[in-house]
Amino acid sequence: MERFRMIFQYFHSNSESVMNGICGLLALASVKMYACFDFSCPCLPRYNMAYGLGIMFVPPVALFLCGLILNRQSLVMLEEWRRPQGHRKKDPAVIRYLCSSIMQRAMVAPVVWIIVTLLDGKCLICAFSSSVDPEKFVGFANASPVQVQQLLAKVPCKDDELLRNNTSRKAVSRYLRCWSQALGWSILLILIAAAFLARWLRPCFNQATLLQARHWSNYIDIEQKIFEETCCEHSRLFAHKCILHFFESMRQEIKLHSFILPREGEGAEGEEDLLRGITDQDQVNKLLKMWYYEKPPL
Amino acid sequence: MDKFRMVFQFLQSNQESFMNGICGIMALASAQMYSAFDFNCPCLPHYNLAYGLGILLVPPLILFLLGFVLNNNVSMLAEEWRRPQGQRGKDPAVLRYMFCSMAQRAMIAPAVWVSVTLLDGKCITCAFCTSVPVETLGNASHPGLSPGEIKQVLARIPCKEIYDGQELIANEVAVRYLRCVSQALGWCFVLLMTTLAFLVRSLRPCFTQAAFLKSRYWSHYIDIERKLFDETCTEHARSFAKVCIQQFFEGMSTDLEAARCHPPRKAPADAGEAAKKLLGITDQGTMNTALKSWHRCKPPLQLHPPALPSGNGGNGWAGEGQPPTQPPAPRKEVAAYYSWV
């Protein structure tokens, strides 16, 4: 029992590290997904922009939602937000703390995707090749506007027969990649600087409130887990009693074959305590309803 | 008992994570299956659509059904659904909860297959290559080809080696266009699925939390009760078998002694436990007869208490009539009812 309690305490205290682990895994998965994804620019005038920007922004939204779904604390926060007040007051600081920690963790994978996309450069080249100023590049300066658009749209496709080995195509491609990588590194630098400042300056503002909010948000999480465990234990004992009662009621026929001993009562007192006097369906339903509508005061 | 309780709690709290693990393995298996699958577009006008859409939609259906098959709780759901009401009312909310949680887990592998298929692009390229807009992407005014022949040419787009319509529309242009459409569909599908999952997960606490807690509790309860009942029956069967066999050996021993007119051999007083376990059979011939008798003529499933005349005919549960009144205290109990508690 002691060992079990220790293991459980370890998990409870480390729910933060479990969530950090999930967040890291999701970031790695996002990099892997980008590497496996076969980027294929359509090289057509209007489709390029839609495709390029779509690949840059739609997967991050999906990754953000995944981050919210996989985070257990989001459910805890929603329950705490929507519960009726009952005997326990609601603290908006706790809900805000939970919300901000969930959002921060969920934002990691989308940001990783966007940065990897920008550093790789293919998306931006595909999206903005038609928007480049053709005057700057020798090969495109002398063509008619329609032709220029067509040619520029084909820049991301290296193997296209029109532009194969065209030096102007390579020039446009390098130019856009340079912009893309500069943007990527700048965003990375800004985000890391912001995270650094946030972490350093946080103790200067409202540290006490923060400690309280963190404590009570941990408490809510642990309370939820322990309630679920207690329900499991209760249902196990409930089932056990139910089955024994069922066998008892068959006792007449069993007695005929005389292989049942009268039930010994030495374990019964301990279990009566654990059942806490709740022994039928209506009482359990009432208990669960009471737990939701009127949580006990702290 | 404590150890059992610990293990049971661990398994119960981890039953969900066990099912999640199976669900994740199936999703990985579905992605692996797709990459191992050798996609082979037929490159013929009407076959392309059937093949492409078939590969897109039939394996997900199979994976969905497999998800249900691999889920242990399906039989539990079926039992609960079909049982007669008896003294315990049936709660449709519990059945709905069990079905929904199984369906959600079973949907993941098919969704992964469809996403991977769309993001890869080969299926859509194969299925819709005859619908490429030749007017915008190629030379629609290419002479000498009737619409049927144009379709034939376009149908060969996925098969680069036999494609002969380079003047009509360049192969790379068409393939890039179709793959772009396919990937756009794929990412929209992924976004749609994650949005649905997010909505399902986040709207539940806002509306039906109390009902949800109830359904979850009772569905766990049904599962635990079934397992405990099975264990209790196993223990019961063990005791039954033990006494049945014991009585068989005693009966054999008595019969054999009577048949051979041997005086019962008295075990030496200090043999103790071992002699008792011999059950009165102490030589090869007797043992052989016992084994033969066990094979040819198993005893009825009816244990007679030694103090009572064994007057009940038949085997199995004798439900008829009242049992004869039990003699009080000196009755010998010949087996114990074992319990985990």
Side-chain angles (χ1 to χ4, degrees):
Chain A
M1 196 56 204
E2 278 309 307
R3 225 181 302 165
F4 188 56
R5 198 178 289 150
M6 271 165 45
I7 292 175
F8 242 103
Q9 271 175 347
Y10 175 77
F11 272 114
H12 286 170
S13 64
N14 273 26
S15 69
E16 291 251 337
S17 28
V18 166
M19 281 182 308
N20 287 344
I22 290 186
C23 170
L25 277 174
L26 210 53
L28 283 175
S30 118
V31 172
K32 182 84 176 125
M33 251 166 55
Y34 184 79
C36 293
F37 177 63
D38 185 15
F39 188 90
S40 172
C41 192
C43 295
L44 297 165
R46 281 180 301 279
Y47 289 72
N48 276 6
M49 174 87 78
Y51 186 82
L53 293 183
I55 297 297
M56 201 152 91
F57 292 118
V58 167
V61 174
L63 286 167
F64 179 72
L65 292 174
C66 268
L68 291 179
I69 291 168
L70 292 176
N71 195 337
R72 208 186 152 273
Q73 269 195 343
S74 54
L75 274 180
V76 168
M77 182 203 81
L78 275 171
E79 279 172 30
E80 176 66 16
W81 181 39
R82 299 296 303 173
R83 72 172 169 92
Q85 183 139 329
H87 289 309
R88 186 188 287 183
K89 283 206 297 267
K90 289 209 265 192
D91 186 357
V94 169
I95 297 175
R96 269 199 310 267
Y97 174 82
L98 277 172
C99 195
S100 79
S101 99
I102 292 165
M103 291 290 175
Q104 281 168 28
R105 286 196 175 92
M107 291 279 278
V108 171
V111 163
V112 165
W113 174 279
I114 290 178
I115 290 180
V116 168
T117 307
L118 287 173
L119 292 179
D120 188 36
K122 288 195 287 238
C123 269
L124 237 63
I125 294 176
C126 183
F128 294 108
S129 66
S130 309
S131 321
V132 164
D133 181 8
E135 303 299 323
K136 289 192 189 148
F137 302 96
V138 171
F140 300 119
N142 300 328
S144 67
V146 173
Q147 232 181 351
V148 154
Q149 281 302 309
Q150 293 263 347
L151 287 173
L152 283 176
K154 290 196 191 295
V155 159
C157 299
K158 294 191 184 65
D159 298 327
D160 193 274
E161 56 203 8
L162 284 178
L163 293 179
R164 205 171 287 160
N165 296 326
N166 187 321
T167 45
S168 305
R169 184 200 70 79
K170 290 182 192 164
V172 172
S173 181
R174 273 199 307 268
Y175 173 76
L176 286 168
R177 182 172 284 156
C178 158
W179 268 105
S180 171
Q181 289 179 343
L183 197 58
W185 284 117
S186 315
I187 290 180
L188 189 60
L189 182 65
I190 290 172
L191 284 174
I192 292 184
F196 175 78
L197 283 174
R199 226 168 143 89
W200 270 87
L201 296 180
R202 198 176 54 189
C204 306
F205 300 100
N206 283 336
Q207 181 68 352
T209 321
L210 180 72
L211 287 175
Q212 274 174 15
R214 192 164 66 182
H215 175 269
W216 289 114
S217 70
N218 263 347
Y219 171 80
I220 293 168
D221 193 16
I222 290 176
E223 190 189 47
Q224 175 87 340
K225 280 187 194 133
I226 293 184
F227 181 72
E228 281 168 18
E229 283 156 33
T230 314
C231 277
C232 281
E233 197 174 315
H234 186 269
S235 76
R236 192 193 68 82
L237 292 164
F238 197 108
H240 189 250
K241 287 277 172 180
C242 194
I243 289 166
L244 282 185
H245 185 72
F246 170 75
F247 273 87
E248 283 289 320
S249 71
M250 306 268 298
R251 211 171 169 76
Q252 286 301 317
E253 285 163 291
I254 294 173
K255 253 191 186 169
L256 193 65
H257 303 276
S258 69
F259 56 80
I260 284 288
L261 279 177
R263 182 85 182 80
E264 263 127 41
E266 70 228 2
E269 287 82 17
E271 287 173 21
E272 288 298 333
D273 287 340
L274 287 168
L275 269 182
R276 295 169 184 88
I278 293 157
T279 48
D280 72 40
Q281 185 178 21
D282 289 336
Q283 286 175 356
V284 171
N285 287 345
K286 193 157 174 262
L287 171 101
L288 291 171
K289 212 159 59 159
M290 279 288 288
W291 177 258
Y292 178 69
Y293 280 112
E294 287 190 24
K295 279 206 164 76
L298 286 170
Chain B
M1 174 48 208
D2 264 358
K3 234 182 287 184
F4 177 78
R5 193 185 291 161
M6 270 163 46
V7 167
F8 212 106
Q9 267 177 348
F10 182 74
L11 276 179
Q12 182 54 39
S13 64
N14 271 23
Q15 192 199 31
E16 297 259 333
S17 28
F18 176 70
M19 296 311 309
N20 288 345
I22 290 205
C23 175
I25 287 176
M26 274 197 62
L28 284 174
S30 123
Q32 185 58 32
M33 249 166 60
Y34 182 79
S35 52
F37 176 65
D38 185 18
F39 189 88
N40 232 321
C41 193
C43 294
L44 298 165
H46 301 293
Y47 289 71
N48 278 3
L49 187 67
Y51 185 82
L53 291 185
I55 299 295
L56 183 64
L57 298 173
V58 169
L61 192 61
I62 295 174
L63 287 168
F64 182 69
L65 293 173
L66 200 61
F68 271 103
V69 164
L70 291 179
N71 194 330
N72 293 339
N73 292 343
V74 161
S75 56
M76 184 174 82
L77 172 65
E79 259 177 58
E80 177 63 17
W81 183 37
R82 300 300 302 169
R83 72 173 170 92
Q85 185 134 334
Q87 291 178 351
R88 186 189 287 186
K90 286 209 261 193
D91 188 357
V94 171
L95 292 171
R96 268 198 310 267
Y97 169 80
M98 292 200 295
F99 181 74
C100 284
S101 82
M102 281 192 279
Q104 281 169 20
R105 287 197 174 91
M107 291 265 281
I108 291 186
V112 166
W113 175 279
V114 171
S115 315
V116 169
T117 305
L118 288 174
L119 291 177
D120 187 40
K122 288 197 286 240
C123 269
I124 297 287
T125 306
C126 183
F128 295 108
C129 54
T130 48
S131 320
V132 166
V134 183
E135 309 78 35
T136 41
L137 300 177
N139 309 324
S141 55
H142 186 80
L145 286 179
S146 64
E149 278 167 350
I150 290 181
K151 275 213 162 7
Q152 291 244 345
V153 169
L154 289 178
R156 294 200 203 108
I157 286 175
C159 304
K160 289 191 182 54
E161 321 79 52
I162 58 172
Y163 184 64
D164 55 356
Q166 211 56 18
E167 304 84 32
L168 181 61
I169 178 172
N171 188 292
E172 299 83 26
V173 170
V175 165
R176 274 199 307 259
Y177 173 80
L178 289 164
R179 189 180 281 169
C180 157
V181 168
S182 174
Q183 288 179 345
L185 279 175
W187 282 118
C188 290
F189 179 77
V190 167
L191 187 63
L192 182 69
M193 287 286 118
T194 40
T195 311
L196 272 175
F198 174 74
L199 285 175
V200 162
R201 210 165 145 93
S202 59
L203 290 183
R204 200 235 317 135
C206 302
F207 294 108
T208 54
Q209 184 67 356
F212 170 74
L213 286 176
K214 215 166 63 162
S215 308
R216 191 171 66 175
Y217 179 87
W218 289 114
S219 84
H220 281 170
Y221 171 81
I222 290 168
D223 189 27
I224 292 177
E225 189 189 47
R226 194 174 67 143
K227 286 187 185 119
L228 274 178
F229 185 77
D230 286 344
E231 280 165 27
T232 313
C233 284
T234 311
E235 288 307 313
H236 192 274
R238 181 177 296 173
S239 306
F240 197 111
K242 183 164 177 165
V243 174
C244 193
I245 292 169
Q246 204 169 359
Q247 289 182 350
F248 168 74
F249 271 101
E250 280 168 9
M252 281 298 311
S253 167
T254 319
D255 287 348
L256 283 169
E257 278 159 17
R260 292 186 188 178
C261 306
H262 283 172
R265 261 201 267 169
K266 294 237 172 4
D270 55 350
E273 201 55 33
K276 255 192 284 195
K277 283 194 180 154
L278 282 176
L279 299 169
I281 297 173
T282 46
D283 64 66
Q284 188 181 23
T286 319
M287 191 66 219
N288 288 344
T289 317
L291 291 170
K292 214 167 24 174
S293 175
W294 177 255
H295 172 66
R296 291 227 177 107
C297 178
K298 281 203 164 81
L301 287 171
Q302 175 199 355
L303 306 181
H304 43 269
L308 292 174
S310 52
N312 299 320
N315 56 359
W317 300 96
E320 64 275 4
Q322 291 296 320
T325 49
Q326 309 289 338
R331 194 189 74 187
K332 189 170 92 178
E333 296 289 354
V334 295
Y337 170 64
Y338 296 115
S339 163
W340 278 113
V341 180

